[in-house]
Amino acid sequence: MTSSSAGALNWAVVGTGFISQLIANDLALTPGAVCYAVVSRDQTKANAFADERGFPVAYSNLHRALADPDVDVVYVGTPHATHARIAVAALEAGKHVLVEKPIAVDEGDARRIADAAARSGRFAMEGMWMRFLPAYRAALEEASSGAIGDVRSVRASFGLPFDAPESPRWSAERASSTLLDQAIYPVTLALDVLGAPDRVWASGRIRSDGVDLAEHMTFDYADGRFAQLAASMVDYAEPTATISGTEGWITIPAPFWSAFEYQKRSGPIPDALARVDTTTFSRDGFGYVPMLAAVTEAIMAGLTEHPTHPLADSVATLSVLDTIRLRIIETAHEQRSTHEAHILQ
Ligand SMILES: NC(=O)c1ccc[n+]([C@@H]2O[C@H](COP(=O)([O-])OP(=O)(O)OC[C@H]3O[C@@H](n4cnc5c(N)ncnc54)[C@H](OP(=O)(O)O)[C@@H]3O)[C@@H](O)[C@H]2O)c1
């Protein structure tokens, strides 16, 4: 433990972009978390971020920040391509880490972080905040309790055109990817509800530089269960989720990955169509507080992983995302050869 005050942990936020700003605001609302340092590649940006949010320390050099004995926890809010490098460096410097989703760009990279965490004995977790939200947890618990009978399928999409595809945020250099950025949420929901699929079908749109813009996926299970999932950063794909069973269904409204309520419809027809039971929860900050509080508590309790989102789950999710990426590429090749065959006929 470093010299932070008893009962509190000093957090350092790496990156001053979109998500770091939201996380810093929610860190200020998190019991036991101290907004201590910010790390940017640019001192002016670091100073502005720190001044605006009351962080006492601003660094423009990651390694100087990691050498600061008063930093307890490093939050990594940088582009995908940089996650593993920064997380491993922080763990090797003896810091605890919370790494934005996706924890890494592929399964192998995620395993490198897990290995570094095991060597260091420090806490490490991916920032899969959805899993900590009370509405998400209650919806899943209700589905698994038998309230909608046997669960048979999941439908979930994350299609929101955030930035124009030509935006510098969508670059191969950053490992930008709709699969890694957006599809990770519907995929996580499907894995949470149905488990690892027996077969994965996927198709999508990939730019010539390899950045995927949109994809849709079907997970098949040997017993007939299935998941239909979609993600896009160029068009809308209704950002809701549904878990369906033999006796009803649960809908998590838009945006499902940060929802604070869910609806259940169940019973025989026509009751199931007519009656809606809505369960609503309060919202803390922008929605990151439950995760930040859980991480802070876990570290103070001496845990090296959080049971709600252990590293093995991040590795398993990335393995499925790797499979989806492969299927998208295979499907694109098949479609091209079918198209060419049609032209030749
Ligand atoms: N949990 C959520 O709700 C949520 C929402 C959006 C994004 N995310 C995730 O958060 C991460 C960052 O996304 P973002 O939307 O915040 O991106 P962003 O706005 O571009 O911010 C990323 C920041 O990282 C820093 N950085 C360090 N190395 C960099 C490099 N090589 N190139 C560019 N920037 C670099 C930059 O800060 P400095 O210039 O100060 O160094 C930059 O502002 C991604 O993993 C993304 O998937 C999560």
Side-chain angles (χ1 to χ4, degrees):
M1 187 64 71
T2 62
S3 59
S4 56
S5 60
L9 294 175
N10 283 342
W11 286 69
V13 170
V14 183
T16 58
F18 174 76
I19 190 60
S20 291
Q21 295 173 28
L22 297 179
I23 286 284
N25 294 344
D26 274 11
L27 256 187
L29 305 173
T30 302
V34 177
C35 296
Y36 172 69
V38 60
V39 187
S40 171
R41 295 162 302 167
D42 177 307
Q43 191 65 49
T44 309
K45 271 161 86 176
N47 292 344
F49 188 103
D51 290 348
E52 206 173 311
R53 294 172 180 81
F55 284 57
V57 180
Y59 285 107
S60 58
N61 179 295
L62 175 69
H63 295 284
R64 273 212 297 281
L66 296 182
D68 179 342
D70 286 337
V71 170
D72 298 310
V73 195
V74 171
Y75 163 77
V76 182
T78 56
H80 307 154
T82 65
H83 287 184
R85 173 177 60 77
I86 296 173
V88 170
L91 287 162
E92 286 176 350
K95 309 301 182 188
H96 306 290
V97 294
L98 174 64
V99 188
E100 253 315 324
K101 38 63 57 176
I103 195 166
V105 295
D106 57 24
E107 182 187 349
D109 233 14
R111 284 190 188 283
R112 277 210 307 128
I113 297 176
D115 291 346
R119 281 195 307 271
S120 72
R122 295 295 189 263
F123 180 93
M125 196 185 94
E126 176 188 50
M128 181 40 75
W129 59 306
M130 174 177 79
R131 272 189 159 185
F132 292 83
L133 289 172
Y136 181 83
R137 296 175 66 77
L140 265 59
E141 270 164 32
E142 183 138 21
S144 67
S145 75
I148 55 168
D150 292 337
V151 174
R152 301 297 300 159
S153 65
V154 166
R155 188 216 51 76
S157 311
F158 187 152
L160 294 178
F162 279 120
D163 292 298
E166 57 277 7
S167 153
R169 287 168 59 90
W170 293 99
S171 75
E173 199 187 26
R174 289 173 56 125
S176 301
S177 156
T178 304
L179 189 63
L180 295 176
D181 209 325
Q182 276 100 42
I184 191 169
Y185 291 102
V187 166
T188 297
L189 171 66
L191 297 179
D192 281 350
V193 175
L194 301 173
D198 294 309
R199 206 153 138 178
V200 172
W201 306 87
S203 178
R205 291 166 61 188
I206 308 182
R207 276 192 332 208
S208 56
D209 62 358
V211 174
D212 58 294
L213 305 178
E215 45 266 328
H216 50 279
M217 303 137 263
T218 301
F219 290 0
D220 270 350
Y221 296 82
D223 58 5
R225 293 175 304 143
F226 65 94
Q228 290 179 319
L229 315 170
S232 175
M233 69 90 164
V234 285
D235 21 49
Y236 287 105
E238 189 190 354
T240 61
T242 313
I243 304 167
S244 299
T246 50
E247 291 168 26
W249 72 94
I250 286 171
T251 304
I252 312 180
F256 80 84
W257 54 91
S258 60
F260 53 94
E261 66 176 32
Y262 69 91
Q263 286 122 23
K264 184 184 69 172
R265 292 171 173 86
S266 61
I269 301 165
D271 294 9
L273 298 170
R275 222 188 82 205
V276 185
D277 291 329
T278 301
T279 308
T280 306
F281 295 81
S282 61
R283 188 180 197 117
D284 286 333
F286 193 82
Y288 304 107
V289 174
M291 172 184 73
L292 295 170
V295 170
T296 302
E297 272 171 34
I299 294 171
M300 292 205 286
L303 301 186
T304 53
E305 299 206 32
H306 199 287
T308 298
H309 193 55
L311 290 170
D313 286 12
S314 299
V315 170
T317 303
L318 274 159
S319 163
V320 173
L321 294 173
D322 288 350
T323 302
I324 294 170
R325 189 181 297 108
L326 253 181
R327 291 284 172 277
I328 294 171
I329 294 166
E330 285 167 3
T331 308
H333 284 308
E334 277 165 27
Q335 284 169 341
R336 205 163 301 137
S337 40
T338 312
H339 180 67
E340 281 160 10
H342 278 309
I343 291 171
L344 287 175
Q345 273 169 13

